[in-house]
Amino acid sequence: MYFDEFKHQLPDIDPSETKEWLDALDQIHGQEGDERARFLLYKLLKRARQLHIGLPPLTQTRYINTISPEQEPFFPGDEEIEHRIRRLIRWNAVAMVLRANNRAPGLGGHLATYASAATLYEVGFNHFFHGKDGASADEGSADKGSPAGASPDGKGGSGDQIFFQGHAAPGIYARAFLEGRLNEDNLDHFRQEALSPVGLPSYPHPRTMPDFWEFPTVSMGLGPIAAIYQARLNRYLANRGLADTSASRVWAFVGDGEMDEPESVTALSLAAREGLDNLIFVVNCNLQRLDGPVRGNGKIIQELEGLFRGAGWNVIKVIWGREWDDLLARDVDGVLVNKMNETLDGEFQKFSVAGGAYIREHFFGPDDRLRRLVENLSDDELARLRRGGHDYRKVYAAYRAATEYRGGPTVILAKTIKGWALGPGVEARNITHQAKKLSEAELRVFRDRLELPIPDDKLHDAPYYHPGPDSPEVQYMLERRRALGGFVPKRVVRARPLPAPRPEVDAEFTAGSEMAVSTTMAFGRLLRNLIRDPQIGSHVVPIVPDEARTFGLDPLFKEVGIYAALGQRYEPVDSDLVLSYREATNGQVLEEGITEAGAVASLQVAATAYATHGVPLIPFYIFYSMFGFQRTGDQFWALGDERGRGFVMGATAGRTTLMGEGLQHDDGHSHVLASVIPNIRSYDPAYAYELAVIVREGIDRMFAKGEDVYYYITLYNENYSMPKRPDDLTDQQIVSGIYRLLAAPDLGGTVRAARSRGAASGSKVGSKLGPRAGSRAGVRGEPPVRLVGSGSILQQVVAARQILAERGIPAEVYSATSFQQLRADGLAVDRWNRLHPGEQPRIPHVARMLPADGGPIVIATDWIRAYPDLVAPWLPASRLVLGTDGFGRSDTREALRELFEVDAPHIAAAALAGLVRSGRLSRADAVAGVRELGVNPDAADPRSL
Ligand SMILES: Cc1ncc(C[n+]2csc(CCOP(=O)(O)OP(=O)(O)O)c2C)c(N)n1
Ligand SMILES: [Mg+2]
């Protein structure tokens, strides 16, 4: 039971005995130091366990501030002026939301989140957050200087990386307004960014505000996990000598409700394990989320303390404001602390709205000693006993301690009131999160509370208030930011373009190989070649969630090492093998273990390092089966938002190519999921040379030309010989999405030969079909059948061409490297045509490649039909599309392809159906042909199985 944990903190029944014990400890500690004191405490704990005393886990401390008043450092700022600055920001943050909703009712926005967090942010802005200007910074005191993330080239540093709570954005804009970075026009266009060049996005979105926001955080949970991996990447960059990140710190502002997200908590132990003392979480514990209390029946701060401490974090609780110091000092018998320990969050919420008299009666009242403690305070004073997160001295002390802590990450659990200062109708109410309107009367109360000189008759407009650029407040803010290295948040792209990989990197793929290999194996070689490239190799960052061996990438372990903050402190079991498991502090591979969320977070921070640190990294994140876009789609969306550049490799792709694994592995749909991300470029290559060209082009686009796109490329594990790249095939044809791989065979006068070849090869297609179909469907002058395929299924398409050829039916083969790219082109062309009705209409690439007047079209891939159907609007309705719709099965490749009807016989049979549609083959012949191909027309539809 929750509160049993505090029984040991009940009022002291024998203070002098307690004192004796404490004095003894003090003495040992004073004379013999930490080590001995720790030893004795461990011995005592052991004895307590033997005696079955039943101690609670020692991950929770009392419900008071971790830093006692005596330990608080001197506050170096100007308290008075900082107070006024906060008031100005509070006002403008509210004004922008109100004005936006006045202009366009229903636009929304949030007042309460920032209102609760203003002090948490402002102490950071004025004293801790480092900017990117590379100026020296004084952290934590006005006179103590320290370098702010100076970069090795001396062009300025990375500063701190700050993950702002998404819903606090109005406050961050309001500060930028006072600083002169945004103007009234910007603020007036809050949440009106679609058509206005000065509009501001609702939340942090680097995509739409690329010189301001760095990290998209508003999807709850993605900020905290990305922050942890950001702190880790900073260490990785330093350990590999790619950037000096020693002065950068990562700050993650997180909601207490947000801590329930799996992503918020999943990587906590990683941060502690790797000793990330460059990482600070600030959890804004306003005890509320959207609908109501976070833990009405419990205590979120205590719960989070246990969670973080258990994960190995340094925990600093900031619960009470300075007004409580005196009360706690006078609480000699611990009744007040006991009451604090016992009071539920739901009750604290009630106290914060019910007024001083209620607090006196219900919090202090039931116990005489407590009642006496506050008898000299008025009801008003009781109501004004602040929570710690609103007291900048307490917050300052916590931040200072956090930045000075060494050896691991720190979390600050700050207790606040949601909607603080917004008035009785909003503050701490269950509706507060949704509040986006204040009446004129409420606004007047708010103005009075903030003591701002805004006339009554202007209040209905909720005017902004700027005290002028020369005002002491603005001058103070600017001076503080100058001293701390410039404005935050700020996103700048300083990375220099990377050169192209040298020709040797992919020469072998152009040449092809007789040996049967898979595209995954080809990728493994390509990746190693890239890593060995003298100019760009060190920028390559392979990221795998525990499947490197599956992909054949394990040689990298030995060659370039696995990044490990602690190096390798043990001899690996395979140390006698050539390719042993090698961990190193300068290892290049990010081997994430079984956490797709962690691996994509790593991808996110590596893919944005070109902006965050001015260091272009080329991440290759290789995910296994369908655990990519399906499992972590939200992070991939965020990667698009934050302009991440890199490669996502979908390995063991295809619903029928990954054998044996079955329903929850065989991936036949990720291309469809990926296709919804606007800036993605996705490819489904069949051959090694296609893969190499796509990767080379990707590096050029992203790292030479600086385009904010990322690549998704699928890799298969089916082995076949890789053809030589055709001499006349251009890079552009490959990356355009489709090219003609094989012309129709010349079957003139070959009908007999085809027949005998068919017989010799023992094809399932009987000789009957050949001459008859050939005589009608394959006659000279008729356009050939067009077979289109991609990925591994292209082999089936090529085989189907042969089957048809043996029957006298000429077919050409197209390799469709990307239906997604073809769709992008089709949409762009359609749009142009729509907007330019007076011009000669343009023709989309796919329609030019597969024009309506050609032979029947059959498309087959290892993906659900929705993938090739991305280009449906530009192809003739008579086309036949084969695909792997339905749940997968565990079986052999051959069986799966028969089940899903994407093997060569089914493709050939589809061609016959196509010839019937175009009137070139009789129904009877087609029926016979289908039978001869061994295709069962009455098999169950795999979609319904
Ligand atoms: C993944 C996700 N789910 C739901 C939401 C909608 N949402 C926005 S804010 C919020 C409540 C936030 O509560 P808390 O984290 O405590 O932050 P506070 O505003 O109280 O500081 C919710 C549910 C979201 N933004 N992201
Ligand atoms: Mg909250």
Side-chain angles (χ1 to χ4, degrees):
M1 162 63 196
Y2 195 75
F3 287 99
D4 285 349
E5 292 175 14
F6 297 102
K7 279 214 173 120
H8 63 291
Q9 296 162 8
L10 287 173
D12 198 341
I13 51 166
D14 190 348
S16 64
E17 185 183 44
T18 311
K19 186 164 181 318
E20 265 174 51
W21 278 72
L22 292 178
D23 286 348
L25 180 64
D26 284 351
Q27 197 184 343
I28 299 281
H29 183 245
Q31 290 171 3
E32 300 181 50
D34 293 352
E35 199 105 313
R36 179 70 187 151
R38 204 175 298 132
F39 175 83
L40 287 173
L41 284 171
Y42 274 120
K43 279 282 172 201
L44 274 177
L45 288 174
K46 186 174 172 196
R47 171 61 85 219
R49 261 199 310 276
Q50 287 165 343
L51 296 174
H52 303 293
I53 286 174
L55 278 176
L58 295 179
T59 50
Q60 287 183 12
T61 59
R62 297 178 300 165
Y63 198 65
I64 57 172
N65 294 347
T66 305
I67 299 171
S68 60
E70 320 79 74
Q71 296 170 317
E72 279 173 28
F74 167 72
F75 179 76
D78 181 330
E79 303 196 19
E80 178 49 31
I81 210 162
E82 289 192 24
H83 192 196
R84 286 210 302 277
I85 292 169
R86 278 199 306 280
R87 289 176 157 181
L88 295 169
I89 297 176
R90 282 178 186 286
W91 175 265
N92 289 316
V94 166
M96 71 186 288
V97 175
L98 298 187
R99 289 168 68 94
N101 283 280
N102 280 346
R103 274 169 83 114
L107 267 185
H110 297 84
L111 306 176
T113 301
Y114 180 75
S116 69
T119 303
L120 303 178
Y121 287 118
E122 277 304 296
V123 172
F125 277 116
N126 285 321
H127 301 282
F128 292 93
F129 299 161
H130 286 158
K132 292 172 183 289
D133 296 350
S136 75
D138 53 347
E139 171 189 286
S141 92
D143 50 22
K144 190 172 134 251
S146 67
S151 72
D153 61 9
K155 284 192 182 155
S158 322
D160 289 348
Q161 289 81 55
I162 304 162
F163 291 73
F164 295 95
Q165 250 182 294
H167 298 77
I172 312 306
Y173 291 137
R175 169 170 252 270
F177 167 62
L178 290 182
E179 291 170 335
R181 305 173 68 198
L182 298 177
N183 58 32
E184 289 201 11
D185 204 16
N186 295 127
L187 266 54
D188 263 346
H189 287 84
F190 176 56
R191 292 185 170 231
Q192 298 149 77
E193 57 172 344
L195 300 178
S196 162
V198 298
L200 303 178
S202 49
Y203 305 118
H205 293 303
R207 171 84 19 203
T208 58
M209 208 173 168
D211 50 3
F212 194 86
W213 295 114
E214 292 187 281
F215 309 110
T217 48
V218 79
S219 175
M220 314 242 111
L222 301 194
I225 189 171
I228 291 174
Y229 282 86
Q230 182 70 59
R232 174 155 165 276
L233 184 89
N234 292 0
R235 288 284 159 80
Y236 171 91
L237 288 170
N239 282 334
R240 292 197 51 224
L242 291 169
D244 177 3
T245 56
S246 56
S248 281
R249 200 168 270 121
V250 179
W251 297 79
F253 287 83
V254 188
D256 49 357
E258 184 176 9
M259 283 307 302
D260 281 341
E261 289 285 3
E263 292 87 352
S264 301
V265 296
T266 183
L268 295 183
S269 46
L270 168 100
R273 202 160 58 236
E274 303 212 356
L276 298 179
D277 52 20
N278 56 345
L279 174 65
I280 297 171
F281 267 34
V282 180
V283 185
N284 177 13
C285 299
N286 52 27
L287 314 189
Q288 283 182 249
R289 45 185 164 72
L290 194 153
D291 284 341
V294 178
R295 292 291 184 273
N297 294 311
K299 290 164 89 71
I300 186 65
I301 290 183
Q302 298 302 90
E303 184 181 325
L304 292 178
E305 179 183 29
L307 175 73
F308 278 93
R309 212 184 287 284
W313 287 53
N314 175 41
V315 178
I316 301 175
K317 297 196 285 192
V318 185
I319 302 179
W320 308 112
R322 68 189 77 163
E323 298 79 12
W324 292 86
D325 288 347
D326 171 58
L327 298 179
L328 283 162
R330 290 194 281 125
D331 179 37
V332 281
D333 44 10
V335 266
L336 177 56
V337 173
N338 193 47
K339 182 73 182 171
M340 290 169 163
N341 285 341
E342 282 188 340
T343 304
L344 300 170
D345 282 358
E347 294 175 301
F348 277 123
Q349 290 306 85
K350 179 78 178 167
F351 292 135
S352 60
V353 300
Y358 185 91
I359 296 172
R360 188 184 304 281
E361 188 186 340
H362 291 92
F363 186 78
F364 296 102
D367 187 304
D368 271 353
R369 291 165 296 179
L370 272 182
R371 194 197 301 267
R372 277 200 302 279
L373 204 58
V374 292
E375 62 196 0
N376 58 336
L377 299 182
S378 68
D379 285 354
D380 266 1
E381 285 170 315
L382 285 186
R384 284 204 300 269
L385 289 170
R386 273 181 303 174
R387 293 183 180 178
H390 301 303
D391 184 334
Y392 51 91
R393 268 201 234 155
K394 304 285 183 197
V395 173
Y396 177 85
Y399 286 7
R400 179 78 181 267
T403 54
E404 287 170 359
Y405 184 77
R406 292 291 167 268
T410 293
V411 62
I412 290 159
L413 303 173
K415 188 173 177 178
T416 61
I417 286 187
K418 194 151 177 172
W420 172 246
L422 291 178
V426 179
E427 225 175 69
R429 301 282 170 181
N430 279 337
I431 49 85
T432 183
H433 187 88
Q434 302 288 67
K436 45 196 112 290
K437 285 200 177 117
L438 291 184
S439 68
E440 208 173 315
E442 286 173 313
L443 210 49
R444 189 172 305 123
V445 173
F446 187 48
R447 177 212 52 197
D448 292 345
R449 186 156 177 186
L450 300 180
E451 298 177 9
L452 296 177
I454 298 165
D456 279 353
D457 62 349
K458 293 271 170 8
L459 276 179
H460 62 275
D461 260 354
Y464 301 117
Y465 184 77
H466 196 299
D470 299 325
S471 62
E473 293 87 354
V474 171
Q475 285 301 309
Y476 183 92
M477 295 170 84
L478 295 180
E479 183 282 319
R480 295 310 306 149
R481 289 317 316 158
R482 262 194 303 275
L484 285 159
F487 293 126
V488 285
K490 185 161 99 180
R491 183 178 177 280
V492 279
V493 178
R494 285 191 287 230
R496 282 186 289 265
L498 286 177
R502 53 186 185 158
E504 295 90 303
V505 165
D506 44 14
E508 62 185 283
F509 309 114
T510 308
S513 77
E514 271 302 308
M515 204 178 81
V517 295
S518 65
T519 47
T520 306
M521 288 157 79
F523 170 69
R525 280 197 74 93
L526 176 63
L527 184 62
R528 287 165 75 191
N529 293 353
L530 284 168
I531 288 175
R532 288 175 187 162
D533 183 289
Q535 296 214 66
I536 63 169
S538 65
H539 295 257
V540 173
V541 182
I543 303 171
V544 271
D546 202 36
E547 292 281 354
R549 289 182 201 282
T550 314
F551 311 138
L553 296 178
D554 44 319
L556 289 178
F557 293 169
K558 178 72 178 186
E559 281 177 30
V560 293
I562 295 165
Y563 174 71
L566 305 176
Q568 192 160 39
R569 297 170 161 188
Y570 61 93
E571 189 179 335
V573 288
D574 53 6
S575 58
D576 52 334
L577 300 182
V578 182
L579 294 177
S580 61
Y581 199 80
R582 187 170 76 84
E583 302 192 60
T585 49
N586 65 352
Q588 192 161 351
V589 180
L590 289 173
E591 160 62 86
E592 304 294 2
I594 310 170
T595 165
E596 279 75 19
V600 186
S602 256
L603 169 69
Q604 287 182 261
V605 295
T608 50
Y610 72 92
T612 312
H613 291 295
V615 178
L617 297 179
I618 312 178
F620 285 90
Y621 166 48
I622 307 112
F623 72 75
Y624 174 55
S625 73
M626 60 176 69
F627 309 130
F629 289 87
Q630 171 162 298
R631 181 69 174 244
T632 55
D634 207 9
Q635 287 170 298
F636 283 119
W637 184 259
L639 182 68
D641 183 344
E642 67 197 337
R643 299 167 177 268
R645 301 174 186 169
F647 293 93
V648 176
M649 312 302 292
T652 49
R655 184 144 292 160
T656 68
T657 305
L658 177 58
M659 290 196 283
E661 291 292 320
L663 189 152
Q664 212 144 39
H665 285 73
D666 295 340
D667 181 14
H669 52 280
S670 289
H671 265 295
V672 176
L673 303 182
S675 72
V676 302
I677 295 172
N679 68 324
I680 209 165
R681 299 177 71 87
S682 62
Y683 286 92
D684 188 32
Y687 295 132
Y689 68 78
E690 294 178 352
L691 170 70
V693 167
I694 293 162
V695 168
R696 179 176 284 275
E697 202 239 5
I699 292 175
D700 178 58
R701 261 184 203 277
M702 296 185 286
F703 300 101
K705 300 201 173 82
E707 285 184 32
D708 291 331
V709 296
Y710 71 94
Y711 279 67
Y712 166 49
I713 306 174
T714 36
L715 302 172
Y716 296 81
N717 65 0
E718 181 178 10
N719 296 335
Y720 43 85
S721 60
M722 291 291 161
K724 175 178 172 306
R725 173 175 167 173
D727 291 334
D728 56 351
L729 180 63
T730 65
D731 288 2
Q732 181 49 37
Q733 285 175 300
I734 294 173
V735 300
S736 72
I738 191 166
Y739 66 92
R740 197 178 70 166
L741 175 73
L742 298 171
D746 182 2
L747 301 179
T750 59
V751 169
R752 219 177 322 121
R755 195 183 345 164
S756 60
R757 254 205 322 276
S761 66
S763 162
K764 280 195 266 178
V765 187
S767 59
K768 205 170 130 209
L769 173 63
R772 287 169 59 192
S775 60
R776 298 182 195 183
V779 288
R780 281 170 180 279
E782 294 273 23
V785 171
R786 293 171 291 179
L787 303 178
V788 183
S790 68
S792 256
I793 292 300
L794 190 61
Q795 298 318 292
Q796 301 302 314
V797 172
V798 171
R801 171 178 176 267
Q802 179 63 23
I803 292 173
L804 291 171
E806 287 163 3
R807 306 303 167 257
I809 301 172
E812 50 187 16
V813 171
Y814 292 78
S815 174
T817 54
S818 175
F819 288 103
Q820 183 263 354
Q821 280 299 296
L822 294 174
R823 180 175 179 80
D825 169 73
L827 291 178
V829 170
D830 273 3
R831 175 173 181 272
W832 192 92
N833 289 342
R834 170 168 54 81
L835 294 172
H836 301 85
E839 312 265 345
Q840 180 69 21
R842 296 175 179 172
I843 301 169
H845 182 54
V846 70
R848 238 181 297 118
M849 293 298 293
L850 300 171
D853 55 3
I857 295 173
V858 178
I859 305 176
T861 77
D862 214 359
W863 304 93
I864 57 174
R865 290 172 183 81
Y867 175 50
D869 279 351
L870 289 173
V871 298
W874 305 284
L875 293 184
S878 60
R879 75 195 179 280
L880 294 112
V881 180
L882 307 184
T884 56
D885 297 71
F887 286 116
R889 288 283 186 286
S890 34
D891 211 316
T892 63
R893 212 166 264 154
E894 292 68 30
L896 290 171
R897 287 173 179 174
E898 187 178 329
L899 174 75
F900 284 103
E901 302 166 3
V902 291
D903 56 6
H906 274 95
I907 296 167
L912 301 185
L915 287 168
V916 173
R917 284 184 192 182
S918 57
R920 288 165 54 188
L921 187 67
S922 75
R923 288 170 196 273
D925 284 346
V927 169
V930 167
R931 195 178 316 119
E932 287 158 8
L933 285 163
V935 165
N936 173 8
D938 300 315
D941 182 348
R943 231 165 37 88
S944 62
L945 293 176

